[in-house]
Amino acid sequence: MMFQPGSGRWWDGPLDVEGLALGAVNAAAASANHYAGAPGRFSTTPELTAAAFDSSGLLRIAGRKAQGFVPLSGFRRTLDGWIRIHANYPHHERRLLQALGASTGRDVDQAILGIPSLAAEAVIQAHGGIAAAVRTRAEWLGSAMGRAAGAGHWLELTADDGTTSGAPLTSKRAHQPVAGPAGSGPEANHPAKPLAGVRVLDLTRVIAGPVATRLLAALGADVLRLDPPGMPEILDQYVDTCFGKRSAEADLANGTSRERLERLLDEADVVVTGYRRGALDRFGLKPRALLASRPWLAVVALNSWGNDGPWRGLRGFDSIVQAACGIAHVYGGPDRDGNWRPGALPVQALDHATGYGVAAAAITLLATRRETGLGGTARLSLARTAEELFALTADAVSANAAGGHADARPAAGQPARAGLPEPDYRTMPSSFGELRYVGPPLQVDGRPLDYAGPPPPYGTALMAWA
């Protein structure tokens, strides 16, 4: 729909990552323009979009680079091919080691080398670990999960039609954000902040969801992020994605926290969830259940694998989806010894593109609510975003779809950055030290948008709206 081929100048490689990036950001810009009632006010540029898709790679925290993948995460050779594993989080590392009966990274390598790829994938997943065998595109498309991943639209919106109640219901909120026509609400005085007064409950982690809510915060929303105690976010990842938000810890199994959560929901406008499918249902956070009890909400849910197919309840990450769906195979190439090995996209494009799609969905649902008094739901997945990327460059991967290796470009599956625009670096003081960062991928009336403030210390906010 909104995806068009890019120029091909940003990153070398067989897939049109540039087109995916621009399409996703333009979707967010279009939704912001519609909500603000000001066509063309929000737009993007190649410089802003390219930098935003590599925000963590360009970030400097007190002069140091942000942490990337830990040594245990990455591709491993198996008995009959390759697998990709993810162990950045301590609890995922523990599950991986338990699944393989290993105690060290060397043990993991030896164990996986003696197991077929699909068998290693199955045993790691069965223990709650994160892994996917490296499949060809044809193998993915021939699987039940691959067929399910390609179904439906990239961004699926479902508006509440009022059947729960005979008439539109109103929020329990003490005030409604921007309830009137364009020009009569808060954005009339703050054109860069059309979401001023909007309250966003952020129940996401890692990259895609936090990228979405980071943009909503940059557009003026009050974003409160909740994380479970005992499973802290990776610090550098948190710093990159929490500009302009507030951060609180909440044990939703605790009665007091549940009561506070209910109060937050009563006064929220948007709820964004980013956990695996069904993980939050026991807390009353299933999208349709939320909308049934609070019809004004805009509820956006994202996960790795979508709502259908045999993997719909599994955990996953951008890198793992790349391995499963054929991207890692397409980006494969010779290593330094001349042996073929899988590769990866130049940036975490599935995460970032999905994140900007989530932001677009949330803003679109808010615009619908302003017109009808009712909210709605939307859902996205990393696996579905991968299908959009392949659709942009179907001809380029047709040979790989037949099961053959793609052309080796470049070596070891590490795409060169051929013609990237120069980033617009900015600096900001924070409790983590001075931050050198790149801003949101949007400009407002021709001027780059920026974040309202630095990421706060982790878990320091109260479970209450500002």
Side-chain angles (χ1 to χ4, degrees):
M1 53 184 181
M2 73 285 296
F3 293 105
Q4 300 293 330
S7 68
R9 294 192 301 268
W10 294 3
W11 297 292
D12 285 344
L15 299 182
D16 190 0
V17 180
E18 178 181 342
L20 182 76
L22 287 169
V25 172
N26 278 322
S31 66
N33 287 329
H34 175 62
Y35 188 80
R41 169 167 288 170
F42 292 95
S43 60
T44 191
T45 68
E47 292 81 6
L48 293 174
T49 292
F53 266 62
D54 193 20
S55 60
S56 62
L58 299 173
L59 177 67
R60 297 294 181 270
I61 306 171
R64 66 172 179 83
K65 295 181 67 173
Q67 174 189 319
F69 290 105
V70 300
L72 191 53
S73 295
F75 294 109
R76 295 293 188 279
R77 196 181 292 275
T78 68
L79 185 64
D80 61 352
W82 291 86
I83 192 170
R84 182 145 193 175
I85 55 179
H86 196 287
N88 279 22
Y89 288 88
H91 54 291
H92 292 155
E93 179 184 356
R94 289 193 298 270
R95 293 167 185 167
L96 172 68
L97 295 174
Q98 181 184 17
L100 298 172
S103 57
T104 67
R106 179 173 293 183
D107 293 342
V108 168
D109 292 347
Q110 292 176 345
I112 289 179
L113 190 58
I115 309 173
S117 299
L118 295 180
E121 172 189 271
V123 71
I124 294 170
Q125 290 178 350
H127 283 79
I130 315 295
V134 173
R135 290 167 169 80
T136 67
R137 184 66 177 154
E139 288 169 342
W140 178 245
L141 292 176
S143 70
M145 190 60 240
R147 291 189 294 271
H153 300 288
W154 174 62
L155 195 163
E156 292 195 356
L157 292 164
T158 303
D160 192 303
D161 60 5
T163 55
T164 305
S165 172
L169 301 179
T170 57
S171 167
K172 296 180 182 178
R173 294 266 325 253
H175 67 282
Q176 290 286 341
V178 196
S184 66
E187 81 277 17
N189 296 321
H190 304 284
K193 308 295 183 184
L195 299 186
V198 171
R199 290 170 172 170
V200 178
L201 190 60
D202 180 358
L203 299 167
T204 71
R205 289 167 69 83
V206 198
I207 298 176
V211 160
T213 52
R214 183 181 65 182
L215 182 61
L216 298 179
L219 292 170
D222 175 17
V223 177
L224 177 61
R225 171 170 165 164
L226 300 184
D227 280 280
M231 286 189 177
E233 180 62 283
I234 297 170
L235 181 62
D236 291 1
Q237 196 166 262
Y238 166 84
V239 172
D240 176 45
T241 58
C242 217
F243 281 87
K245 307 179 190 179
R246 292 181 299 119
S247 165
E249 288 188 311
D251 179 5
L252 298 186
N254 176 277
T256 300
S257 292
R258 287 287 298 278
E259 291 175 4
R260 291 174 180 167
L261 174 66
E262 293 298 315
R263 290 198 293 270
L264 288 173
L265 291 170
D266 285 344
E267 297 186 346
D269 299 295
V270 178
V271 177
V272 183
T273 66
Y275 290 75
R276 62 188 175 88
R277 183 180 182 271
L280 299 177
D281 290 1
R282 66 187 186 278
F283 304 124
L285 293 168
K286 189 174 183 178
R288 295 307 300 179
L290 280 172
L291 205 61
S293 61
R294 298 170 178 87
W296 65 86
L297 283 176
V299 183
V300 188
L302 70 133
N303 57 40
S304 291
W305 304 109
N307 277 16
D308 299 301
W311 288 6
R312 62 186 181 275
L314 292 184
R315 301 167 179 87
F317 295 94
D318 180 310
S319 59
I320 300 301
V321 174
Q322 288 187 44
C325 75
I327 291 174
H329 188 263
V330 167
Y331 274 80
D335 60 19
R336 293 175 182 176
D337 297 325
N339 299 313
W340 186 90
R341 62 173 290 125
L345 295 176
V347 292
Q348 302 264 59
L350 305 185
D351 267 327
H352 285 270
T354 304
Y356 293 116
V358 168
I363 299 170
T364 299
L365 290 171
L366 285 172
T368 300
R369 185 184 75 173
R370 187 167 56 190
E371 298 166 0
T372 67
L374 294 170
T377 63
R379 63 183 188 182
L380 297 92
S381 72
L382 303 184
R384 187 63 186 81
T385 298
E387 297 306 309
E388 292 296 328
L389 177 57
F390 273 105
L392 274 169
T393 43
D395 291 342
V397 297
S398 59
N400 188 68
H405 287 309
D407 293 338
R409 48 172 151 175
Q414 297 298 323
R417 300 176 180 222
L420 280 174
E422 183 64 25
D424 175 19
Y425 290 115
R426 310 170 197 186
T427 60
M428 183 183 293
S430 79
S431 62
F432 306 97
E434 183 176 82
L435 304 179
R436 190 200 76 173
Y437 67 100
V438 293
L442 296 184
Q443 58 181 4
V444 54
D445 297 330
R447 300 181 63 182
L449 191 65
D450 203 355
Y451 301 116
Y458 184 82
T460 54
L462 298 175
M463 286 186 67
W465 295 113

